[in-house]
Amino acid sequence: MKIDMKVNGTLHTVDVPPMKRLLDTLRDDLRLTGTKEGCGEGECGACTVLIDGEVVNSCLVPAIQGQGVHIVTVEGLADGDTLHPVQQKFIEYVGTQCGICTPGMVLAAKALLDENLSPTREEIREAIAGNLCRCTGYQKIIDSVEAAAAQMREGANA
Amino acid sequence: MPSPNPMVARADVPRRSEIEVHQASRLKDALEVMAAGAAEGKPWMPVAGGTDLMVWITQRRVVPARVIDIWNVDGMRGIEETEGSITLGALTSYAEVRRSEVVAEWVPPLVDAARWCGAAQIQSRGTLGGNIAGSSPAGDTLPVFSAWDAELTLVSTAGARVVKFADFYTGYRQNLLQEDELILRISIPKPAAGSLQVFHKVGTRRAQSISKVMLGFRGHLGADGTVEDVGISFGSVAPIVLRMPRTESAVRGKVLDTDTIDAAVRVAGDEVVPIDDVRSSATYRRRVAQNLVRRYLTALSKS
């Protein structure tokens, strides 16, 4: 089935079975391999992408529901060589170790900051509760998101 | 009709690529397609947010031959307030429930249930209708619908029918939905002013965990201090979400003194029928259920 799918601002037409997972469509058909597969059952958040600004697990979205919406993957965050503040702060504050959870974690954090530029640490914890990390112990991830929020607030006030 | 039991692996299931899919955008179209499928013995399984079905397909537990995508069907989403009730479209997501001022004003425990169901990713896609039709005894929103005397509107090409939520489940993962029917909306009567309203989830962590025990509790006292009305329902302590009429009878019309609460707690221990499973033991679940009944009857006595 041919599906018109807008990903990171670009319209693509893919020819896939309608119940193919959006995760596999992104990785196999569009070669956007930043989106990772962890559990494949909606628990871990490694496959997180944004659909019309909302965080979703792409392992749970059939490709047919990618029609007519705007999908943002981790590849869509940087502006050329300039990383998104969340990405930049994950580097500076060592919010990433093995890296498997990072694309989903960064997108969940971005979705939070798009709604709330001054989240408490508790609000950050809740926003990334669906993204499991087995390396960092989460503290450095929360530090990274806090720092990104601070930078984005400065940008908003500049 | 029996809901598919995702705990049972199937031997001969179609491949994901073989699933026939119809995408509906209008309710009339969806119902006609479903009626035709049921008539020819090849029913369509609805998919909305996919948070159950996509897992079952990936794990090859339940792979329907035909799937109808209702995610974009008109007139099945949104929250409305009427004089005596609030009405939620079956496609309303947990995220929409969390953002709703109407739900926060009238039935705040439903906001809590939505907030603790999965995490943000699940809440974006998971729907109230899916939680109900999925028929899991651990469905997070179900104790609220149960204890609050909700009604469901079911539709097919034959028309709409309203059923009490209390009558909807007929056994473990069994419900009244016919193969050609969809849940259209859920209606919750507004509780009396001054009601104590609670949703309490006991799990290993707040997000992403399937509950060990869940409670929906609402009640209010009359001017004379007796219990004028009460609704108590538990999740994960029986094959279906469990309304507790015997426990309610033990307190309705009475003053909530220590003896009355002790008696109600004893009845609650008999009324729940929990099992041992991977998440908890029957003994623990029964004790927790009793403790929750004691806690919130005590809170009600002081309200």
Side-chain angles (χ1 to χ4, degrees):
Chain A
M1 173 183 188
K2 286 208 164 60
I3 297 169
D4 296 324
M5 199 174 275
K6 188 175 168 193
V7 183
N8 302 327
T10 306
L11 193 64
H12 302 271
T13 302
V14 294
D15 192 359
V16 297
M19 291 303 284
K20 184 168 183 170
R21 301 185 301 180
L22 178 60
L23 167 67
D24 300 321
T25 309
L26 293 169
R27 289 181 58 88
D28 301 346
D29 298 272
L30 297 176
R31 307 305 297 164
L32 292 169
T33 54
T35 305
K36 306 304 182 195
E37 175 165 13
C39 67
E41 56 181 71
E43 294 281 351
C44 79
C47 67
T48 297
V49 301
L50 306 184
I51 293 185
D52 293 338
E54 285 200 306
V55 285
V56 308
N57 291 315
S58 62
C59 74
L60 301 185
V61 178
I64 192 170
Q65 292 182 354
Q67 174 94 37
V69 295
H70 188 199
I71 299 157
V72 172
T73 70
V74 71
E75 290 91 344
L77 288 189
D79 180 7
D81 288 337
T82 306
L83 294 177
H84 187 279
V86 174
Q87 294 173 302
Q88 185 61 42
K89 295 303 174 186
F90 265 67
I91 296 171
E92 291 174 19
Y93 285 77
V94 200
T96 186
Q97 285 186 31
C98 87
I100 288 286
C101 76
T102 307
M105 200 65 88
V106 164
L107 284 163
K110 178 199 183 294
L112 168 68
L113 299 182
D114 285 345
E115 298 259 307
N116 178 3
L117 267 185
S118 304
T120 62
R121 287 180 77 85
E122 194 52 37
E123 286 170 334
I124 296 170
R125 285 180 190 282
E126 185 174 350
I128 62 167
N131 296 82
L132 302 186
C133 171
R134 303 290 80 161
C135 302
T136 64
Y138 298 102
Q139 303 306 324
K140 288 171 184 292
I141 291 174
I142 295 163
D143 294 344
S144 306
V145 179
E146 271 193 319
Q151 184 186 324
M152 289 167 72
R153 284 197 301 273
E154 268 177 40
N157 293 333
Chain B
M1 101 190 212
S3 275
N5 184 346
M7 301 304 147
V8 179
R10 306 293 169 94
D12 296 315
V13 292
R15 302 166 63 86
R16 185 190 294 274
S17 58
E18 293 165 354
I19 301 171
E20 184 182 352
V21 180
H22 179 85
Q23 192 168 36
S25 57
R26 304 200 65 89
L27 181 60
K28 184 169 178 289
D29 165 50
L31 296 178
E32 284 172 359
V33 167
M34 290 180 72
E40 65 196 51
K42 287 183 66 185
W44 296 84
M45 180 177 290
V47 66
T51 55
D52 278 328
L53 182 60
M54 290 294 282
V55 178
W56 301 343
I57 293 173
T58 297
Q59 298 182 347
R60 303 187 65 70
R61 292 174 175 188
V62 177
V63 185
R66 296 175 131 184
V67 169
I68 181 165
D69 175 14
I70 60 168
W71 178 251
N72 285 314
V73 167
D74 57 351
M76 291 183 67
R77 199 168 255 122
I79 299 162
E80 284 174 28
E81 179 181 355
T82 62
E83 192 168 330
S85 62
I86 66 170
T87 298
L88 308 107
L91 290 179
T92 304
S93 69
Y94 303 110
E96 289 167 289
V97 170
R98 288 189 61 170
R99 288 193 293 263
S100 166
E101 289 174 14
V102 171
V103 182
E105 180 181 355
W106 291 103
V107 190
L110 188 59
V111 178
D112 293 334
R115 180 174 180 185
W116 296 331
C117 182
Q121 290 88 338
I122 298 296
Q123 291 164 13
S124 298
R125 303 299 278 191
T127 64
L128 298 179
N131 209 214
I132 294 167
S135 304
S136 163
D140 283 282
T141 61
L142 309 186
V144 177
F145 295 135
S146 171
W148 271 247
D149 296 322
E151 290 182 335
L152 304 177
T153 302
L154 313 181
V155 277
S156 70
T157 51
R161 60 177 176 142
V162 175
V163 301
K164 290 184 172 140
F165 187 82
D167 298 332
F168 184 68
Y169 298 113
T170 54
Y172 178 66
R173 289 186 182 273
Q174 310 262 314
N175 61 53
L176 293 180
L177 269 181
Q178 301 297 307
E179 286 179 341
D180 61 348
E181 256 180 334
L182 288 172
I183 302 172
L184 181 64
R185 67 177 93 92
I186 306 115
S187 176
I188 308 176
K190 288 178 180 173
S195 290
L196 175 67
Q197 302 192 64
V198 177
F199 173 78
H200 192 119
K201 171 171 175 167
V202 178
T204 44
R205 73 197 283 264
R206 241 178 292 171
Q208 297 294 57
S209 65
I210 298 174
S211 305
K212 298 169 189 280
V213 178
M214 281 178 298
L215 169 72
F217 181 103
R218 65 172 177 87
H220 70 275
L221 304 180
D224 61 356
T226 61
V227 177
E228 197 162 276
D229 196 15
V230 65
I232 302 173
S233 291
F234 279 103
S236 301
V237 298
I240 61 174
V241 60
L242 189 68
R243 185 73 186 252
M244 304 278 282
R246 287 163 52 209
T247 305
E248 293 170 13
S249 294
V251 298
R252 194 174 281 116
K254 295 186 179 159
V255 174
L256 288 170
D257 55 23
T258 309
D259 287 348
T260 304
I261 292 176
D262 284 348
V265 167
R266 278 194 299 276
V267 172
D270 287 338
E271 198 160 23
V272 296
V273 281
I275 57 168
D276 293 325
D277 68 10
V278 64
R279 280 183 285 281
S280 193
S281 67
T283 307
Y284 177 82
R285 287 175 156 129
R286 176 171 285 110
R287 172 63 71 84
V288 168
Q290 290 181 293
N291 289 349
L292 291 173
V293 167
R294 180 180 298 284
R295 178 186 299 190
Y296 292 110
L297 286 177
T298 304
L300 180 60
S301 74
K302 295 170 181 165
S303 68

